[in-house]
Short mmCIF file of all heavy atoms in Angstrom, two decimals:
data_model
loop_
_atom_site.label_atom_id
_atom_site.label_comp_id
_atom_site.label_asym_id
_atom_site.label_seq_id
_atom_site.Cartn_x
_atom_site.Cartn_y
_atom_site.Cartn_z
N PRO A 504 18.63 14.96 4.36
CA PRO A 504 18.76 15.39 5.75
C PRO A 504 17.89 14.60 6.73
O PRO A 504 18.15 14.63 7.93
CB PRO A 504 18.33 16.86 5.70
CG PRO A 504 17.51 16.99 4.45
CD PRO A 504 18.10 16.03 3.49
N TRP A 505 16.87 13.90 6.23
CA TRP A 505 15.99 13.14 7.12
C TRP A 505 16.24 11.64 7.04
O TRP A 505 15.41 10.85 7.49
CB TRP A 505 14.52 13.41 6.76
CG TRP A 505 14.06 14.81 7.05
CD1 TRP A 505 14.79 15.87 7.48
CD2 TRP A 505 12.71 15.30 6.90
NE1 TRP A 505 14.01 16.98 7.60
CE2 TRP A 505 12.72 16.67 7.26
CE3 TRP A 505 11.53 14.72 6.50
CZ2 TRP A 505 11.57 17.45 7.22
CZ3 TRP A 505 10.38 15.50 6.46
CH2 TRP A 505 10.40 16.85 6.82
N ARG A 506 17.35 11.20 6.46
CA ARG A 506 17.55 9.77 6.22
C ARG A 506 17.44 8.93 7.49
O ARG A 506 16.98 7.79 7.44
CB ARG A 506 18.91 9.53 5.56
CG ARG A 506 20.10 9.59 6.50
CD ARG A 506 21.42 9.38 5.79
NE ARG A 506 21.59 8.04 5.29
CZ ARG A 506 22.19 7.06 5.96
NH1 ARG A 506 22.64 7.26 7.20
NH2 ARG A 506 22.34 5.87 5.41
N ASP A 507 17.82 9.48 8.62
CA ASP A 507 17.81 8.71 9.86
C ASP A 507 16.60 8.99 10.74
O ASP A 507 16.54 8.54 11.89
CB ASP A 507 19.10 8.97 10.66
CG ASP A 507 20.33 8.41 9.96
OD1 ASP A 507 20.23 7.30 9.40
OD2 ASP A 507 21.37 9.08 9.95
N TYR A 508 15.62 9.72 10.20
CA TYR A 508 14.40 9.95 10.98
C TYR A 508 13.67 8.63 11.22
O TYR A 508 13.65 7.74 10.36
CB TYR A 508 13.47 10.90 10.23
CG TYR A 508 13.72 12.38 10.48
CD1 TYR A 508 14.91 12.83 11.06
CD2 TYR A 508 12.77 13.33 10.12
CE1 TYR A 508 15.13 14.18 11.28
CE2 TYR A 508 12.98 14.69 10.33
CZ TYR A 508 14.16 15.10 10.91
OH TYR A 508 14.37 16.43 11.13
N VAL A 509 13.05 8.52 12.39
CA VAL A 509 12.21 7.35 12.65
C VAL A 509 10.82 7.62 12.08
O VAL A 509 10.35 8.75 12.05
CB VAL A 509 12.11 7.05 14.16
CG1 VAL A 509 13.46 6.63 14.71
CG2 VAL A 509 11.58 8.25 14.94
N GLY A 510 10.22 6.56 11.60
CA GLY A 510 8.91 6.75 11.00
C GLY A 510 8.15 5.46 10.89
O GLY A 510 8.71 4.37 10.95
N TRP A 511 6.84 5.60 10.74
CA TRP A 511 5.99 4.46 10.43
C TRP A 511 4.86 4.99 9.55
O TRP A 511 4.95 6.12 9.05
CB TRP A 511 5.52 3.73 11.68
CG TRP A 511 4.72 4.52 12.67
CD1 TRP A 511 5.09 5.66 13.30
CD2 TRP A 511 3.42 4.20 13.18
NE1 TRP A 511 4.10 6.08 14.16
CE2 TRP A 511 3.07 5.20 14.11
CE3 TRP A 511 2.53 3.16 12.94
CZ2 TRP A 511 1.86 5.20 14.80
CZ3 TRP A 511 1.32 3.16 13.63
CH2 TRP A 511 1.00 4.16 14.55
N ALA A 512 3.83 4.21 9.32
CA ALA A 512 2.87 4.54 8.28
C ALA A 512 2.31 5.96 8.41
O ALA A 512 2.18 6.68 7.41
CB ALA A 512 1.73 3.52 8.28
N LEU A 513 1.97 6.38 9.62
CA LEU A 513 1.35 7.70 9.77
C LEU A 513 2.31 8.81 9.36
O LEU A 513 1.89 9.81 8.75
CB LEU A 513 0.87 7.91 11.21
CG LEU A 513 -0.25 6.99 11.68
CD1 LEU A 513 -0.74 7.41 13.05
CD2 LEU A 513 -1.41 6.97 10.69
N ASN A 514 3.60 8.69 9.69
CA ASN A 514 4.58 9.69 9.24
C ASN A 514 4.59 9.80 7.72
O ASN A 514 4.69 10.89 7.15
CB ASN A 514 6.00 9.31 9.67
CG ASN A 514 6.21 9.28 11.14
OD1 ASN A 514 5.57 8.51 11.83
ND2 ASN A 514 7.11 10.11 11.62
N ILE A 515 4.53 8.62 7.07
CA ILE A 515 4.59 8.59 5.61
C ILE A 515 3.36 9.28 5.03
O ILE A 515 3.46 10.08 4.09
CB ILE A 515 4.69 7.13 5.12
CG1 ILE A 515 5.86 6.41 5.80
CG2 ILE A 515 4.81 7.10 3.62
CD1 ILE A 515 7.18 7.11 5.71
N GLU A 516 2.19 8.98 5.58
CA GLU A 516 0.96 9.61 5.11
C GLU A 516 0.99 11.11 5.33
O GLU A 516 0.51 11.89 4.49
CB GLU A 516 -0.23 8.96 5.82
CG GLU A 516 -0.42 7.49 5.46
CD GLU A 516 -1.42 6.76 6.36
OE1 GLU A 516 -2.07 7.44 7.17
OE2 GLU A 516 -1.53 5.54 6.25
N GLN A 517 1.54 11.55 6.46
CA GLN A 517 1.58 12.97 6.79
C GLN A 517 2.57 13.73 5.91
O GLN A 517 2.25 14.79 5.37
CB GLN A 517 1.93 13.14 8.27
CG GLN A 517 0.82 12.65 9.21
CD GLN A 517 1.31 12.23 10.58
OE1 GLN A 517 2.51 12.31 10.89
NE2 GLN A 517 0.39 11.77 11.42
N THR A 518 3.76 13.19 5.73
CA THR A 518 4.79 13.86 4.95
C THR A 518 4.41 13.98 3.49
O THR A 518 4.69 14.99 2.83
CB THR A 518 6.13 13.10 5.07
OG1 THR A 518 6.49 12.99 6.45
CG2 THR A 518 7.24 13.82 4.33
N SER A 519 3.76 12.97 2.95
CA SER A 519 3.50 12.89 1.51
C SER A 519 2.32 13.70 1.03
O SER A 519 2.16 13.89 -0.17
CB SER A 519 3.26 11.42 1.13
OG SER A 519 2.09 10.94 1.76
N GLY A 520 1.45 14.14 1.93
CA GLY A 520 0.26 14.88 1.53
C GLY A 520 -1.03 14.10 1.65
O GLY A 520 -2.11 14.66 1.47
#
Side-chain angles (χ1 to χ4, degrees):
W505 293 5
R506 78 181 292 267
D507 292 320
Y508 273 16
V509 294
W511 60 303
L513 295 187
N514 296 62
I515 306 307
E516 294 169 8
Q517 292 155 1
T518 303
S519 64

